[in-house]
Amino acid sequence: LKYTKSVPDKKDVEDVLFMMAHIYYNQKKYNLADEIYNDLLRDNPAEQTAMVGLARNMIMREEYKAAIEMLNSCEKYDKDYGQIYRFRAQAYDKLGETDKAIDDAIEYFGINEDVDVELVESILKKHLSYAIAKITEKMNAEAEDMRLHWMIFRGQLYALGYDYVSAIELYNQMEKEYGEHLNVTYYRAQWYAEINDHERAIADMLKCVEETAEKKVNPIMYLASFYRLNGQFEEAIKWASKLIDLMPTDAFGYYVRGWCYELKGNDTEAMKNYNAGIDVDKEYPYIYLMRGEQYLKRGEKEKANADFNEILKLDTVAEDGTCRMYA
């Protein structure tokens, strides 16, 4: 502020103060952030951003009940402020009040355009049947334009519980009622792949590539994988090559293309791709797994073990789809 040529207005000062408080939060200096938020509240007791900031700091200090009280007060000023529900959901979740956390996570999802999807899903899957029932209730109560929004979300919850058939059936129903919708087609393609219906997965994902105005990498990435799973290795190589053109410093395209060459019996080209992928991106564990297997085929056990050890460094959490245990 000292470099401004004129005295800043109140809004400028508040913006800088909020930036300072956020920096303190990132530095885990919660008490210093609290001082700023409390100063802002003394000036304006209805300052919701400050109230949410205080509640967020309380959660970091494991003061969950105090955070909920603060957020309850904040809600009285404006029920449409989405961050209230985001942080209150976290607080309820930490206290083990799962259904209350789910209620708030759903409210947060409904209000905010930019949602922390991983947070919402991590809470909802703790009592998935309740979450689906609440979403269905929302779906039936909302106006027509929002009904589609909640139907899409309900399909994603089915998939979260690995009920891909129900998810596909719901999305097929949506398509009949509302016509084709890019998000519907995109997610349904992934669920077809999960039940090994790769022909339909490919057909849906091809529509996503055609309907997308700009070159989006995700549909292309999925197409490369779906064609590989369907045994159409030349097509998979073609789409993996397109992905490499778009993302030359990402290992995934080289990984898929190399794997397809390996499945075609061309280990030389496979190894070239694995080496190229690792050369530009050393953070993708699966490509080390593939190269390690190639080294084992050649009898180069030391090099293979070096690659497997690299996976243990990178892929540290043993979860679904991990290559850590294999390594």
Side-chain angles (χ1 to χ4, degrees):
L1 289 178
K2 69 182 179 180
Y3 293 107
T4 57
K5 294 180 180 178
S6 59
V7 177
D9 63 27
K10 185 178 178 181
K11 179 68 168 60
D12 290 334
V13 175
E14 287 178 353
D15 287 346
V16 172
L17 289 172
F18 278 122
M19 286 183 208
M20 288 171 63
H22 191 67
I23 290 167
Y24 284 139
Y25 169 80
N26 286 334
Q27 294 176 338
K28 300 183 180 180
K29 297 177 181 178
Y30 306 123
N31 291 339
L32 292 176
D34 284 352
E35 287 179 17
I36 293 174
Y37 291 137
N38 282 319
D39 282 343
L40 287 162
L41 282 172
R42 275 189 284 272
D43 188 49
N44 177 11
E47 178 50 76
Q48 288 186 291
T49 306
M51 297 171 84
V52 168
L54 285 170
R56 181 178 65 172
N57 291 345
M58 290 170 185
I59 290 169
M60 298 306 297
R61 290 192 292 259
E62 300 183 6
E63 299 165 2
Y64 305 123
K65 289 183 180 178
I68 289 168
E69 288 176 12
M70 175 65 70
L71 293 165
N72 288 344
S73 299
C74 185
E75 187 181 17
K76 291 174 184 175
Y77 291 103
D78 181 3
K79 290 185 177 181
D80 291 329
Y81 187 48
Q83 295 301 316
I84 295 168
Y85 307 103
R86 172 186 182 174
F87 290 107
R88 198 167 63 185
Q90 287 179 262
Y92 277 131
D93 183 46
K94 292 293 186 182
L95 289 172
E97 297 189 54
T98 302
D99 288 354
K100 287 183 178 178
I102 288 171
D103 289 342
D104 274 347
I106 290 171
E107 201 66 32
Y108 164 57
F109 180 87
I111 292 173
N112 277 59
E113 290 184 7
D114 185 18
V115 176
D116 184 343
V117 176
E118 286 186 13
L119 169 67
V120 172
E121 289 185 346
S122 70
I123 292 172
L124 268 53
K125 69 183 180 183
K126 292 181 179 179
H127 190 178
L128 201 54
S129 59
Y130 175 78
I132 290 171
K134 295 296 287 189
I135 292 296
T136 305
E137 187 178 75
K138 282 268 190 189
M139 189 183 84
N140 293 333
E142 293 283 358
E144 195 67 18
D145 60 331
M146 283 301 291
R147 185 169 180 268
L148 179 63
H149 176 75
W150 290 112
M151 284 181 84
I152 290 172
F153 193 28
R154 189 171 77 164
Q156 290 170 331
L157 292 190
Y158 282 135
L160 197 61
Y162 306 106
D163 186 0
Y164 301 113
V165 172
S166 293
I168 289 167
E169 286 174 352
L170 178 65
Y171 276 24
N172 287 343
Q173 177 195 336
M174 288 166 56
E175 197 168 76
K176 286 180 183 176
E177 289 183 29
Y178 297 99
E180 289 191 354
H181 189 283
L182 187 60
N183 278 350
V184 169
T185 308
Y186 177 72
Y187 287 112
R188 189 176 60 189
Q190 295 170 55
W191 302 333
Y192 276 132
E194 291 288 351
I195 62 170
N196 296 319
D197 191 342
H198 302 304
E199 294 287 349
R200 284 193 173 95
I202 289 166
D204 268 355
M205 202 55 75
L206 281 170
K207 288 180 186 176
C208 293
V209 172
E210 290 164 8
E211 290 177 28
T212 307
E214 17 180 312
K215 291 181 179 177
K216 298 286 187 183
V217 297
N218 283 353
I220 293 173
M221 176 187 74
Y222 280 118
L223 275 173
S225 293
F226 295 165
Y227 276 118
R228 177 189 62 77
L229 289 166
N230 207 38
Q232 294 174 261
F233 303 132
E234 287 300 333
E235 281 295 312
I237 288 168
K238 181 183 83 174
W239 286 98
S241 298
K242 288 183 180 181
L243 186 63
I244 290 166
D245 288 341
L246 290 171
M247 299 176 64
T249 60
D250 189 288
F252 184 79
Y254 302 95
Y255 158 76
V256 174
R257 193 167 68 181
W259 195 354
C260 288
Y261 277 121
E262 189 172 339
L263 290 167
K264 281 165 59 70
N266 190 340
D267 287 350
T268 302
E269 281 300 317
M271 197 61 156
K272 283 181 184 177
N273 276 274
Y274 299 148
N275 285 333
I278 290 168
D279 184 48
V280 296
D281 178 6
K282 294 178 172 55
E283 301 299 318
Y284 189 62
Y286 293 88
I287 198 165
Y288 287 99
L289 185 63
M290 304 305 287
R291 191 175 70 173
E293 283 280 16
Q294 282 289 315
Y295 281 135
L296 279 182
K297 280 186 185 179
R298 298 177 178 188
E300 299 180 66
K301 291 185 179 179
E302 286 186 13
K303 288 182 178 180
N305 284 338
D307 274 353
F308 297 148
N309 279 320
E310 199 62 35
I311 294 166
L312 300 183
K313 293 177 191 173
L314 293 169
D315 194 14
T316 56
V317 181
E319 55 188 15
D320 186 36
T322 184
C323 61
R324 175 180 175 81
M325 290 182 286
Y326 188 92

